[in-house]
């Protein structure tokens, strides 16, 4: 026993000696620094939260921009609310007389102020304008002036639209042509891409912070003879030739911050055998080569039917192909059947012709843009059926 006790004492002495040899502070383990979480963007968080409770039908409805005639505020607001559309386009038949009564119409178009719908208008100036009080220079004059004139004209134009409750302008023409006989000539800001590019960029800069800016008509109406309102203009231009000329104004406008690009019903046979609106190839070029991350919207989809080509006679099939190609939003100035469109698009998702991921991507992009327009940054809260029954 004595021997064992002695051995334990020796071991204890060794341990104690080792312990006392080290400074006391070395015995305290430093606190583990947790990595700081990156700040949460409230707009992105809102979009994620809201998207998570949306039905497929609601997502598809949010991808529609429709038109309804008249100046009755209740009728316009009721239509938008009934179909849960993401946007309305105002045409000449929506502008009251006097014009200064327009804000009373646009003020009540959105049922949810935290997620306003997009209120759009074609306000290029000159021959294409819905607000006749807009007398600032249009492309017809701007193509011969310094780019600063384009910035000033579109700054004034954007301020007018904002004051009237319009949030999205389909107003900046990025098409180029040197052919005076072309129907797009007087609406183009240059005879070449190099001429038009600085003016397009200046126009985008002028509208920044006032309305969302649209570049149209991608990939360029000037190179394809004909009027897409009644035909599918075609061209055999090569992709390389397009890149060196007609791409330039779109590149400049995107770099300047344009939030929206409108696809034209234009067929570039050397690139794809279908109109750009329905072409995955052209959407990939816009996203990957030009680096565009915003809203891709179609030109009026009823124009495809008006072309008279039998392959574009079915409006639902056109819509399915447009979404599959990569469009974020479908524009209808005509009078489609929204219910049929939504049902047929949903059926295409069920059949695997469109992935739900494509629908989610489009719906989310639109949620972000619309939430930014609201000016609100709070979290999204959803009242489910049980909660709603308590409120009722």
């Amino acid at each position: 026993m004595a021997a064992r006790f002695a051995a334990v004492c020796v071991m204890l002495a060794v341990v104690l000696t080792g312990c006392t040899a080290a400074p006391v502070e070395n015995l305290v383990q430093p606190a583990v620094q947790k990595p700081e979480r990156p700040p949460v963007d409230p707009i992105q968080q809102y979009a994620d939260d809201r998207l998570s409770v949306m039905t497929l039908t609601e997502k598809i409805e949010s991808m529609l921009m429709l038109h309804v005639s008249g100046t009755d505020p209740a009728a316009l607001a009721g239509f938008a609310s009934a179909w849960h559309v993401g946007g309305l386009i105002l045409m000449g038949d929506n502008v009251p007389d006097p014009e200064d009564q327009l804000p009373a119409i646009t003020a009540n178009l959105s049922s949810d102020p935290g997620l306003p719908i997009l209120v759009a208008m074609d306000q290029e100036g000159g021959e294409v304008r819905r607000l006749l009080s807009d007398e600032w220079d249009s492309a017809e004059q701007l193509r011969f002036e310094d780019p600063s004139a384009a910035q000033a004209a579109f700054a004034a134009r954007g301020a007018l639209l904002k004051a009237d409750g319009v949030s999205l302008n389909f107003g900046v023409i990025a098409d180029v042509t040197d052919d005076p006989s072309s129907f797009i000539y007087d609406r183009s800001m240059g005879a070449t891409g190099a001429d038009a590019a600085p003016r397009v960029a200046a126009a985008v800069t002028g509208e920044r912070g006032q309305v969302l800016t649209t570049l149209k008509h991608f990939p360029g109406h000037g190179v394809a003879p004909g009027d897409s309102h009644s035909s599918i203009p075609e061209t055999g231009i090569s992709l390389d030739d397009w890149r060196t000329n007609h791409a330039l104004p779109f590149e400049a406008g995107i770099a300047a911050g344009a939030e929206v690009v409108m696809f034209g019903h234009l067929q570039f046979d050397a690139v794809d055998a279908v109109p750009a609106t329905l072409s995955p190839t052209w959407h990939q070029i816009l996203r990957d080569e030009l680096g565009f991350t915003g809203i891709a919207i179609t030109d009026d989809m009823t124009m495809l039917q008006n072309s008279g080509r039998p392959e574009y006679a079915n409006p639902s099939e056109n819509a399915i192909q447009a979404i599959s190609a990569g469009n974020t939003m479908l524009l209808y100035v005509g009078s489609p059947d929204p219910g049929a469109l939504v049902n047929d698009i949903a059926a295409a998702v069920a059949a695997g012709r469109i992935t739900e991921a494509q629908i989610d991507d489009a719906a989310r992009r639109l949620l972000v843009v619309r939430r930014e327009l609201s000016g609100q940054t709070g979290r999204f809260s959803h009242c489910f059926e049980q909660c709603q029954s308590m409120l009722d």
Side-chain angles (χ1 to χ4, degrees), residues 124-187:
E124 301 172 17
E127 65 181 273
V128 180
R129 54 181 177 156
R130 312 303 176 211
L131 302 177
L132 300 182
S133 60
D134 176 357
E135 296 183 349
W136 296 284
D137 283 355
S138 67
E140 185 176 7
Q141 297 83 37
L142 296 174
R143 67 185 290 142
F144 302 110
E145 298 174 355
D146 188 83
S148 61
Q151 181 170 339
F154 277 86
R157 193 161 284 131
L160 173 66
L161 291 168
K162 182 178 181 180
D164 280 339
V166 176
S167 56
L168 169 57
N169 188 20
F170 296 141
V172 179
I173 293 286
D175 311 284
V176 297
T177 182
D178 60 358
D179 180 5
S181 67
S182 169
F183 91 101
I184 205 75
Y185 181 83
D186 288 338
R187 298 165 60 193

